[in-house]
Amino acid sequence: MASPSRRQQASNGRRPLPFDPIAEAFRQWTTNDWGEEEAMAATTSIMRAQALILSRVDAALAPFGLTFARYEVLALLQLTRTGSLPLGKMGMRLMVHPASVTNAVDRLSDAGLVRRRPHPTDGRTTLAEITDAGRDVVTRATKELAAIRYGLDDLSDDDCRQITDIFEELRRGVDFTDTP
Amino acid sequence: MASPSRRQQASNGRRPLPFDPIAEAFRQWTTNDWGEEEAMAATTSIMRAQALILSRVDAALAPFGLTFARYEVLALLQLTRTGSLPLGKMGMRLMVHPASVTNAVDRLSDAGLVRRRPHPTDGRTTLAEITDAGRDVVTRATKELAAIRYGLDDLSDDDCRQITDIFEELRRGVDFTDTP
DNA sequence: AGAAAATAGTTGGACGTCCAAGTATCATGG
DNA sequence: CCATGATACTTGGACGTCCAACTATTTTCT
């Protein structure tokens, strides 16, 4: 029965402050001439937003025994014709280290949502194949994530598009190349 | 001499793909009617951007034996009148779990950049006080971070402000309240 | 005053991420 | 045809983050 195993919350006990600590840091940076306060505020905001959003998404996925990292693996497989992919390819598509894929597949495999298969022609390669249980879980989990707008309930679609666009710029050349 | 201890890179060996995997996921979500594809793309972008930016910042701080988490602690102390704060207050200001503060202060303390002090009147409280070495390091580290624009070299100040503004909305009510 | 409740930090465990090193297996080239 | 080099994956360790449980101290309140 896949143990939900509560994970981070990143917003728990801590009560909200009467002021925005990032806005305050911005002021300090400015008055002390530390430089690049816009970038500092943005980077700090991103770090904090990531933790907050991840905690929301993970909370929504916990009932399925999933985390966002595992969900991404499952979703990727679900969207593949054959329902299976080499671990290496998954790492590239998800933009994470190969070791992270190994880790996620290990856990999904333990939960019976995915199965490891040897590559038919290349002995080095391992395929991860989604199981029927995995397809069921990912379908339900996807509905749940859509219901909470992937943790971005507070933001409009316009806000989302702006974020995606700005970060696409940041990722360009690192994660992908325009026209090869 | 504070061991730099190389940390994550999040962009290493992995070669850039010939297409943006997030844009591709957006298409898949749309054609398969999985819903909320704007939010999905934004959340995925945030996760990835955070990892990428953190790797850049950490790489810049490694020569000082720092990570971004430890730098934030040091910077906060440096900006405080007395150069010292209760660990709990730091956790609130940095918006992280108390255990994370304990962890960071442990390491900074080992490096001689910070010192633990008992609170003069409250026996439960522990103060972290920045040392002279800590002040020196944080000053140099701050210049280094400004030089790389806190990992956001690719973005304009306008982009940074937009990010900060959008995430401020997200954090409102969680990290801080408008008018107490 | 004394008991119960709240607060502050620490410890140990779980996760995900990364890197470096190690093991297989495939591809190349002499 | 085998040696060298490239690939694919796994393992073990480091970090930061979180939570739950625990200890110590301070407040509150009966």
Side-chain angles (χ1 to χ4, degrees):
Chain A
M1 285 302 110
S3 66
S5 75
R6 304 284 168 288
R7 291 205 57 242
Q8 59 243 54
Q9 212 157 342
S11 59
N12 209 3
R14 298 188 288 292
R15 321 240 152 290
L17 293 167
F19 62 94
D20 180 1
I22 294 182
E24 172 59 21
F26 182 90
R27 278 176 228 116
Q28 295 269 30
W29 248 251
T30 303
T31 66
N32 289 69
D33 271 311
W34 279 13
E36 301 294 349
E37 48 274 354
E38 290 86 1
M40 179 282 296
T43 287
T44 306
S45 297
I46 293 163
M47 298 297 159
R48 175 54 186 155
Q50 186 269 345
L52 184 53
I53 296 164
L54 183 59
S55 78
R56 293 177 177 179
V57 170
D58 275 354
L61 292 174
F64 302 102
L66 291 180
T67 61
F68 191 55
R70 297 176 210 170
Y71 169 78
E72 285 185 293
V73 167
L74 228 41
L76 179 56
L77 290 176
Q78 174 78 323
L79 291 171
T80 303
R81 281 283 168 230
T82 63
S84 76
L85 277 177
L87 301 204
K89 280 216 185 316
M90 302 181 63
M92 291 191 287
R93 281 294 290 267
L94 301 176
M95 301 166 283
V96 297
H97 195 278
S100 297
V101 179
T102 293
N103 185 350
V105 170
D106 278 350
R107 296 171 192 281
L108 288 170
S109 186
D110 288 347
L113 306 179
V114 138
R115 187 186 304 121
R116 258 183 246 261
R117 283 208 166 294
H119 185 101
T121 73
D122 189 335
R124 297 168 295 183
T125 301
T126 302
L127 300 173
E129 180 180 65
I130 189 169
T131 65
D132 289 342
R135 289 187 188 279
D136 174 58
V137 167
V138 76
T139 299
R140 289 185 290 129
T142 297
K143 286 181 181 132
E144 189 55 38
L145 288 183
I148 64 163
R149 278 179 64 80
Y150 290 83
L152 301 181
D153 224 333
D154 332 66
L155 304 188
S156 66
D157 277 356
D158 262 356
D159 287 337
C160 290
R161 271 187 285 270
Q162 283 202 315
I163 289 172
T164 303
D165 286 350
I166 293 176
F167 287 153
E168 185 181 306
E169 208 171 323
L170 186 76
R171 299 187 302 107
R172 172 168 297 124
V174 181
D175 290 342
F176 63 96
T177 349
D178 285 309
T179 37
Chain B
M1 286 300 111
S3 64
S5 75
R6 303 287 167 287
R7 291 203 58 242
Q8 59 246 52
Q9 213 158 342
S11 59
N12 210 1
R14 296 188 289 293
R15 322 241 152 289
L17 293 166
F19 62 94
D20 179 2
I22 294 183
E24 172 59 21
F26 182 90
R27 277 176 230 117
Q28 296 268 31
W29 248 251
T30 304
T31 66
N32 288 69
D33 271 312
W34 279 13
E36 301 294 349
E37 49 273 354
E38 290 86 1
M40 180 282 295
T43 287
T44 307
S45 296
I46 293 164
M47 298 297 159
R48 175 55 186 155
Q50 186 269 346
L52 185 53
I53 296 164
L54 184 59
S55 78
R56 291 177 178 180
V57 169
D58 275 353
L61 292 174
F64 302 101
L66 291 180
T67 60
F68 191 54
R70 296 176 209 170
Y71 169 79
E72 286 185 292
V73 168
L74 228 42
L76 179 56
L77 290 176
Q78 174 77 325
L79 291 171
T80 302
R81 283 281 170 232
T82 63
S84 76
L85 276 177
L87 300 206
K89 280 216 185 318
M90 301 182 63
M92 290 190 287
R93 282 294 291 267
L94 302 176
M95 302 166 284
V96 297
H97 195 279
S100 297
V101 178
T102 294
N103 185 354
V105 170
D106 278 350
R107 296 171 192 283
L108 289 170
S109 185
D110 287 347
L113 306 179
V114 137
R115 186 186 305 122
R116 256 183 248 261
R117 282 208 166 295
H119 185 101
T121 73
D122 188 335
R124 295 168 296 185
T125 302
T126 302
L127 300 173
E129 181 180 65
I130 189 169
T131 64
D132 289 342
R135 289 187 189 280
D136 174 57
V137 166
V138 76
T139 300
R140 289 185 289 128
T142 297
K143 287 181 180 131
E144 189 55 38
L145 289 182
I148 64 162
R149 279 178 64 78
Y150 290 83
L152 301 181
D153 225 333
D154 332 65
L155 304 188
S156 66
D157 276 357
D158 263 356
D159 287 337
C160 290
R161 272 187 286 267
Q162 283 203 315
I163 289 173
T164 303
D165 287 350
I166 293 177
F167 287 154
E168 186 181 306
E169 208 170 324
L170 186 75
R171 299 187 302 106
R172 172 169 297 126
V174 182
D175 290 343
F176 63 96
T177 344
D178 286 310
T179 37

